[in-house]
Amino acid sequence: MAYAAGKLARRRVFLLCLAMLVLGSPWVQKVLQSPDSRTPATAWYRRVLATPGWEPSLAFDHYTRPVLYDWSAGLSVLVLLLGCYLLLPRLVPAAPAGPVRWMTAIGTCTAVSAVSALPEWALNSGLQDLGTPVAALLATSLEYSIAFGLLLGLAAAATLAPTAGAALPRLLRRRPGRTTTMAAPATPALGSAPGDVTRYLCAAAYLDPAFARIVVQDVLSDEFGAIAPSPGVDLVPVARHCLTARELQRRLHRRILPVWFALLLISPLWLLIGRLALTVLGYGAKQPAPRHPVRGRAEPDAEAALWRVAAAALAALVLTVGIDLLLGLLPVGGVFSWLLGSYLFGIPPVLALIGAGAYAYRLMAEHLGDTDQRLRALRRETFDPEAVPQPAPQAAWIKDRLAAVAETQAGNVSVYSGFTPFLGYAATYGTARIAAPLLPAEPFGRPAAEITEFDTWELLTEVRNRLAALAEAPPAADEVALTGLLLEDRVFVDGATLHGDRRFLGDRQLTPLTRLTPEQLREVAERPSGAVRHYLAAHLPLWGDDVVPSLLLHMSQTGRTLHIHVELHILGPVHRLYHSVDTLPPRATGETRRAAQLAALRSAWPLLGGALSMVRAYRTAERLRVKRLVRDHTAFGADPGFDYGARVSLREAGMAPEYQNYFQLLDAERVLSALWRHALTAVREFLDEHGVDTTEFRRQQQTILNQGIVQQGGVSYVGNQAVGAGAQAHSHGFDPTSDGSRS
């Protein structure tokens, strides 16, 4: 959201700077400074408007003063424009709306305008008469500059104020760093077969560079950190596709970088002119927004798109040639002629810009064509997890991290960082706790019998077997089908408490071990202590693994009391853009090729203009990875509290903020209701068989079934619904006795 707001603010500030440049041009200044009659007030006001004045003439004569004045005035204007362009988009949108934002804009513009007066004063004060005090010259310069800053601040505040209004939400729906060959369909293809979410996240590596960056830089590059579990996802192919996508992007930007430097050497100003021209061309390649509600995504109209691109190309050519002619009229020479690109009638910069744009378009078209082929290989009919591309070249750390990902996927230990242990399962949807006394049952009219001794592992085994039997048996008419239920014993351990624990730290020691033996699992379950706890986890992937409800059940005995703690989680679907891989036809058609060509035109300037910053970002990421490795390697041997825990979940990084179908949430709630009710029933029957008085257990069970699962702290958001303390949306919570419908 901040990215989109800043982008919109920069556009408006750029237009404001362009207006100041026009106001300070000699032609406008000539009109302002030559009235028929003038009063002291109007004269002072015109002096204020002369603050951004600039003069292109740098002709030398036998006087030095006019040359220095022109040069210093231009420098002051440059400081004014750069200061406004760099500071206003950062400071003003960040200020609270209302008087604070207006005061921020006015204060920023006033300060920048005052600073911009200093170069002109410093370079020209020595040319004044010796009898004129330097302080007086400075005061005069600051007077008009501050007054102009006040006017400019009012204009800036009025220009940037709408960023908090209705014009912004459309832009805020875009995610940073996203480039794609296709638009997200109005009605996305929904997951339906097992393994779909793995395909979608593999496609996300190419459709969403931000997701690939998170996986590579925040998950794989953290060589000491554990990997968070991801129910329903095969993590290895996703990681490999993200590494491949990052390598393709890196090669693409490295190939375009020499063209960027060549254009910079020919004329720096023409980088800005190229941005303007290629942006105009990109607007012509955009699909017009529909004027009616969209029910489906149609292929682009080839004839209409051709006319739009032709018109945009003509406009970009006229704009480029017009700017070139205007620059050629300026009587400048030497280094200024190179800066402006006005030498040799401006022909070299124009040809260089055309060549750079064509080369950028060609590279982008090749890249999108390669990406399109890779996406088609991820369709349900052709996807093969074993045929995943191997990122080349493979560094040793990449091989080690891919091995750690594979081990985590087959492991039963979650090493977490921070307060919440359940990273990878999404936010807690609901919790419940039962504390039941283990007292002997007293049948009516008979003395109390002895309790048959049992331990926690036996009780967990009974619940596990009960749920496994329900998953294998056909469901009754009034029961929820649990076919495909995944059951596992999982241990959660705080990553900052592993020092000296040989169960989790082996000889290999970069990442902790993620698998315990059955004996170790039983020991943790029967004697929970410290930051190591056992949970029986039940997951049922739905909608092609796109929605995964999870029940995490912890049980322990303290003296004669049985403690039961239940955590409910729902992993929501991944972003709808990732689903668009299922809308691709089996083979490329003329329409899809034209869509890719239009996308290449739209991406020509982002590729060319962002070449240097992207190459620097890749190098910075590698440098930071090495620095983090050295720092962590030094710390883990000396710090007993070294944190091995996972901090980012690959699956949660791709999760959408809303559900794509109402029944996805409904099905997940029904599964959680069934799992919870069957787990409680299994516990109660086990206690009855062992002679335990379940009166108190039944009372607490009935209370939970009547009141629903408790929302523990904060607010839980499901789509546009809010559940919890202080929530704004109305909800009656989750009722385990229901079939998932909401009242």
Side-chain angles (χ1 to χ4, degrees):
M1 295 177 65
Y3 170 84
K7 186 174 181 181
L8 182 62
R10 284 193 297 272
R11 289 179 180 177
R12 294 182 175 181
V13 172
F14 176 78
L15 295 177
L16 185 64
C17 293
L18 187 63
M20 281 194 290
L21 197 62
V22 173
L23 177 65
S25 64
W27 306 279
V28 176
Q29 290 290 319
K30 183 178 180 181
V31 176
L32 292 175
Q33 300 300 329
S34 59
D36 296 335
S37 61
R38 164 181 310 196
T39 64
T42 57
W44 182 86
Y45 182 70
R46 289 188 174 95
R47 289 289 301 274
V48 170
L49 295 181
T51 299
W54 53 273
E55 176 61 50
S57 176
L58 293 177
F60 287 89
D61 53 18
H62 61 282
Y63 293 107
T64 307
R65 180 171 178 175
V67 177
L68 290 177
Y69 178 79
D70 294 341
W71 187 71
S72 62
L75 181 60
S76 293
V77 173
L78 182 62
V79 172
L80 177 64
L81 295 178
L82 286 178
C84 290
Y85 185 76
L86 295 177
L87 295 180
L88 286 178
R90 294 175 178 268
L91 301 180
V92 178
V100 176
R101 178 171 295 182
W102 283 77
M103 294 303 298
T104 302
I106 293 173
T108 303
C109 291
T110 303
V112 171
S113 182
V115 172
S116 68
L118 298 180
E120 183 177 354
W121 165 79
L123 292 174
N124 292 282
S125 59
L127 300 176
Q128 305 296 328
D129 296 335
L130 296 177
T132 305
V134 176
L137 294 176
L138 178 60
T140 302
S141 299
L142 291 179
E143 175 188 354
Y144 296 115
S145 297
I146 292 175
F148 179 77
L150 292 174
L151 296 177
L152 181 61
L154 293 174
T159 302
L160 297 176
T163 55
L168 197 58
R170 183 175 61 87
L171 294 175
L172 294 184
R173 288 193 290 269
R174 299 181 60 190
R175 298 183 70 209
R178 172 157 302 162
T179 57
T180 175
T181 60
M182 65 194 79
T187 303
L190 300 175
S192 58
D196 277 351
V197 75
T198 299
R199 295 189 303 105
Y200 296 151
L201 291 179
C202 290
Y206 307 102
L207 296 173
D208 186 1
F211 174 78
R213 176 184 56 79
I214 291 173
V215 172
V216 175
Q217 294 185 12
D218 297 338
V219 178
L220 298 181
S221 296
D222 187 8
E223 299 182 47
F224 279 88
I227 308 295
S230 296
V233 181
D234 189 353
L235 296 177
V236 175
V238 176
R240 286 181 176 173
H241 277 287
C242 288
L243 288 166
T244 301
R246 290 281 291 178
E247 179 64 20
L248 293 175
Q249 287 283 343
R250 187 183 66 84
R251 293 178 183 177
L252 176 66
H253 289 100
R254 287 184 63 182
R255 291 177 65 184
I256 196 65
L257 185 60
V259 178
W260 187 91
F261 275 115
L263 196 56
L264 178 67
L265 291 176
I266 292 174
S267 175
L269 179 64
W270 280 80
L271 276 174
L272 299 178
I273 298 174
R275 174 177 183 173
L276 185 61
L278 292 178
T279 300
V280 171
L281 187 60
Y283 276 125
K286 293 181 67 174
Q287 282 286 89
R291 299 182 180 180
H292 53 79
V294 177
R295 294 184 180 273
R297 181 173 61 90
E299 297 294 344
D301 187 344
E303 184 177 355
L306 179 62
W307 281 108
R308 288 196 306 271
V309 171
L314 180 61
L317 181 62
V318 171
L319 179 66
T320 304
V321 174
I323 293 176
D324 181 60
L325 292 176
L326 288 176
L327 293 176
L329 296 176
L330 300 178
V332 297
V335 67
F336 292 99
S337 177
W338 167 72
L339 288 173
L340 300 178
S342 59
Y343 59 93
L344 297 178
F345 306 101
I347 295 177
V350 172
L351 295 179
L353 177 59
I354 294 175
Y359 185 66
Y361 166 75
R362 177 191 167 191
L363 285 183
M364 200 66 200
E366 292 177 355
H367 176 74
L368 294 181
D370 179 59
T371 300
D372 185 69
Q373 292 181 1
R374 294 176 183 273
L375 290 174
R376 291 180 197 283
L378 298 176
R379 298 177 71 252
R380 186 178 292 119
E381 298 81 4
T382 57
F383 178 64
D384 182 8
E386 301 300 327
V388 176
Q390 298 289 338
Q394 268 203 12
W397 72 269
I398 294 179
K399 296 179 181 179
D400 292 340
R401 289 302 283 172
L402 290 177
V405 170
E407 290 178 10
T408 299
Q409 195 161 268
N412 52 23
V413 176
S414 293
V415 184
Y416 66 92
S417 176
F419 179 77
T420 304
F422 309 110
L423 181 67
Y425 301 97
T428 300
Y429 187 73
T431 65
R433 293 180 176 86
I434 292 178
L438 299 179
L439 302 176
E442 297 183 5
F444 181 75
R446 288 182 294 174
E450 293 291 332
I451 296 178
T452 304
E453 295 296 331
F454 65 92
D455 55 31
T456 305
W457 187 255
E458 295 177 16
L459 178 55
L460 284 168
T461 301
E462 177 64 23
V463 176
R464 187 189 308 110
N465 294 339
R466 173 69 173 266
L467 295 179
L470 290 171
E472 295 176 359
D478 57 344
E479 288 289 344
V480 177
L482 298 179
T483 305
L485 182 67
L486 305 176
L487 294 168
E488 62 172 343
D489 292 285
R490 181 157 288 273
V491 170
F492 294 87
V493 55
D494 188 348
T497 62
L498 300 185
H499 183 73
D501 195 333
R502 302 298 296 176
R503 294 174 298 179
F504 307 105
L505 296 180
D507 299 331
R508 210 186 27 162
Q509 258 353 96
L510 269 189
T511 56
L513 300 177
T514 57
R515 186 161 192 83
L516 297 180
T517 63
E519 294 76 15
Q520 291 172 326
L521 285 175
R522 181 165 186 168
E523 180 183 2
V524 173
E526 293 180 350
R527 287 183 289 275
S529 62
V532 183
R533 299 300 165 98
H534 169 276
Y535 279 80
L536 175 62
H539 320 288
L540 184 58
L542 306 171
W543 294 77
D545 305 339
D546 215 5
V547 178
V548 184
S550 299
L551 179 143
L552 301 174
L553 176 64
H554 171 76
M555 290 189 287
S556 62
Q557 297 183 45
T558 304
R560 280 306 196 178
T561 303
L562 174 65
H563 299 276
I564 300 176
H565 174 217
V566 174
E567 287 272 347
L568 301 180
H569 299 260
I570 300 179
L571 266 173
V574 297
H575 281 272
R576 65 173 55 210
L577 176 64
Y578 310 163
H579 292 242
S580 58
V581 68
D582 283 341
T583 65
L584 290 173
R587 291 177 297 276
T589 62
E591 289 78 6
T592 57
R593 293 191 186 96
R594 280 189 288 270
Q597 292 168 357
L598 293 177
L601 278 177
R602 293 194 299 269
S603 304
W605 170 251
L607 175 62
L608 179 60
L612 180 62
S613 61
M614 291 302 297
V615 171
R616 288 180 58 189
Y618 291 124
R619 292 184 177 180
T620 301
E622 178 61 21
R623 198 161 52 243
L624 291 177
R625 185 192 69 82
V626 175
K627 286 184 178 180
R628 177 167 59 183
L629 177 62
V630 173
R631 183 178 62 248
D632 290 349
H633 193 277
T634 303
F636 104 100
D639 184 6
F642 184 83
D643 189 357
Y644 292 89
R647 296 178 177 177
V648 179
S649 166
L650 185 152
R651 174 62 172 85
E652 290 187 36
M655 195 166 63
E658 72 282 332
Y659 285 84
Q660 295 153 12
N661 189 283
Y662 172 80
F663 299 107
Q664 291 177 325
L665 177 60
L666 186 70
D667 290 348
E669 289 182 338
R670 294 179 64 182
V671 167
L672 290 180
S673 173
L675 289 174
W676 178 223
R677 286 188 289 107
H678 286 305
L680 286 182
T681 302
V683 172
R684 189 188 69 242
E685 292 179 353
F686 180 88
L687 296 179
D688 286 336
E689 292 174 359
H690 286 72
V692 177
D693 185 1
T694 57
T695 303
E696 178 62 20
F697 180 87
R698 292 172 185 270
R699 186 191 66 78
Q700 296 186 40
Q701 177 186 8
Q702 191 62 39
T703 300
I704 293 176
L705 296 180
N706 289 337
Q707 297 181 358
I709 294 297
V710 179
Q711 291 284 339
Q712 294 291 337
V715 180
S716 297
Y717 291 95
V718 182
N720 60 352
Q721 297 178 344
V723 182
Q728 297 300 316
H730 296 287
S731 175
H732 296 287
F734 170 64
D735 183 2
T737 63
S738 70
D739 60 357
S741 61
R742 290 183 178 273
S743 54

